[in-house]
């Protein structure tokens, strides 16, 4: 079998003395969409922040694209084409949509322009807002811009933290359709979501995180039929 694009081995992460992740292992294959589901506080954000390097695990190992990345800073991991879109849409409100995208790329101007075009292709709703400041965008458009910023790094794997947060059901559907398109074009995604129902629809596999540990994993279709998943995450 081909080596996974991302593999996380036995990760332990603590905030001061409080353990937030314990012995977490997972894999994402090249081009694969994998969901990370779990309730509020289960450790989803902590795991994504550890993978991109914003948190230093106490134990364990992260391997991306054949390389152990534990000693690398977040920007060094980003240069290996590991993308990260944090929870809460961290965009620059005073910059225009285009400027928000451009500052997220280290490529020369011509290439940067092509990458912006690609983001507009994935998110047509942003194309008409090119010169508008970030603060004028709706919540859904800000989420699209946040994902677009992560795409400017040409990720092979995109870590997405709770993209449905605070969006209306219609906007959630739109954003998830955009994520499906990103995957269809070849980018792998690790999607942390409380909205398990939506996440299991667009992902091939999933891991269920509970109080810092992986308690279940498997194919999305199989997990949708799992009694515990139905009860705890799919509203019975
Ligand atoms: P949410 O959906 O609310 O973001 P989550 O599954 O992403 O939840 P985390 O935010 O990773 O969960 O939190 C995991 C645990 O770590 C929780 O118990 C949380 O209270 C704790 N925690 C998170 N951030 C910190 C922090 N900066 N300092 C101390 N404890 C933290």
């Amino acid at each position: 079998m081909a080596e996974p694009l991302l593999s996380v081995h036995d990760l332990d992460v603590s905030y001061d003395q409080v353990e937030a992740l314990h012995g977490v292992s997972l894999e994402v294959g090249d081009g694969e969409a994998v969901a990370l589901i779990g309730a509020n506080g289960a450790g989803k954000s902590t795991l994504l922040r550890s993978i991109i390097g914003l948190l230093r695990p106490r134990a364990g190992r992260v391997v991306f694209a054949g390389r152990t990345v534990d000693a690398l800073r977040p920007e060094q991991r980003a240069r290996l084409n590991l993308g990260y879109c944090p929870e809460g849409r961290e965009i620059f409100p005073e910059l225009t949509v285009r400027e928000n995208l451009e500052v997220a790329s280290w490529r020369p101007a011509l290439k940067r322009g092509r990458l912006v075009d690609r983001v507009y292709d994935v998110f047509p709703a942003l194309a008409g807002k090119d010169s508008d400041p970030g603060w004028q965008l709706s919540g859904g458009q800000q989420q699209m811009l946040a994902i677009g910023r992560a795409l400017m790094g040409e990720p092979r794997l995109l870590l997405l933290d709770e993209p449905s947060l605070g969006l209306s059901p219609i906007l959630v559907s739109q954003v998830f359709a955009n994520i499906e398109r990103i995957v269809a074009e070849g980018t792998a995604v690790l999607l942390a979501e409380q909205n398990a129902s939506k996440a299991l629809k667009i992902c091939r596999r999933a891991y269920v995180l509970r109080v810092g540990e992986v308690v279940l994993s498997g194919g999305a279709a199989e997990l949708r039929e799992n009694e515990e998943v139905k009860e705890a995450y799919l509203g019975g």
Side-chain angles (χ1 to χ4, degrees):
M1 210 179 99
E3 200 179 311
L5 179 58
L6 172 76
S7 51
V8 172
H9 303 270
D10 263 329
L11 221 58
D12 289 348
V13 181
S14 297
Y15 294 101
D16 297 322
Q17 294 310 309
V18 183
E19 194 171 57
L21 293 181
H22 180 68
V24 170
S25 297
L26 61 76
E27 291 182 350
V28 180
D30 214 356
E32 191 182 30
V34 175
L36 187 61
I37 60 184
N40 212 335
K44 304 179 298 297
S45 301
T46 301
L47 180 52
L48 297 193
R49 289 165 62 84
S50 304
I51 294 170
I52 190 65
L54 290 167
L55 292 171
R56 281 288 143 121
R58 285 203 323 189
R61 213 152 59 88
V62 177
V63 179
F64 178 67
R67 205 168 147 178
T68 300
V69 296
D70 300 311
L72 302 183
R73 294 188 304 276
E75 65 274 18
Q76 293 173 311
R77 299 185 199 200
R79 288 225 175 201
L80 296 176
N81 304 101
L82 179 56
Y84 170 62
C85 181
E87 186 178 302
R89 307 163 206 153
E90 291 177 12
I91 64 160
F92 296 109
E94 305 299 332
L95 297 187
T96 66
V97 167
R98 177 172 289 269
E99 287 164 349
N100 262 282
L101 294 171
E102 285 182 341
V103 296
S105 170
W106 52 82
R107 298 287 221 149
L110 187 64
K111 173 73 183 174
R112 245 183 1 239
R114 288 207 195 105
L115 290 168
V116 171
D117 289 343
R118 181 176 170 233
V119 172
Y120 288 166
D121 199 34
V122 176
F123 299 107
L126 293 181
K129 305 275 173 186
D130 181 81
S131 306
D132 290 3
W135 64 265
Q136 278 186 5
L137 301 182
S138 68
Q141 289 163 348
Q142 286 188 17
Q143 182 61 65
M144 293 173 196
L145 182 56
I147 299 174
R149 284 173 48 77
L151 289 179
M152 292 296 288
E154 302 157 82
R156 275 182 79 186
L157 170 64
L158 177 57
L159 308 171
L160 275 173
D161 198 353
E162 207 90 44
S164 74
L165 196 74
L167 300 184
S168 69
I170 289 179
L171 282 173
V172 172
S173 297
Q174 251 178 48
V175 168
F176 272 61
N178 298 138
I179 297 169
E180 268 189 299
R181 159 108 189 255
I182 292 166
V183 175
E185 289 181 2
T187 304
V189 162
L190 179 58
L191 171 65
E193 259 297 339
Q194 281 192 55
N195 191 332
S197 156
K198 287 269 183 209
L200 289 174
K201 276 195 190 121
I202 67 166
C203 292
R204 203 174 74 86
R205 287 192 304 118
Y207 293 84
V208 179
L209 210 54
R210 196 200 303 139
V211 211
E213 295 193 53
V214 172
V215 291
L216 272 174
S217 64
E222 170 198 338
L223 287 177
R224 272 205 302 268
E225 296 308 316
N226 178 289
E227 289 307 322
E228 189 185 336
V229 172
K230 277 194 204 167
E231 181 71 27
Y233 306 106
L234 299 174

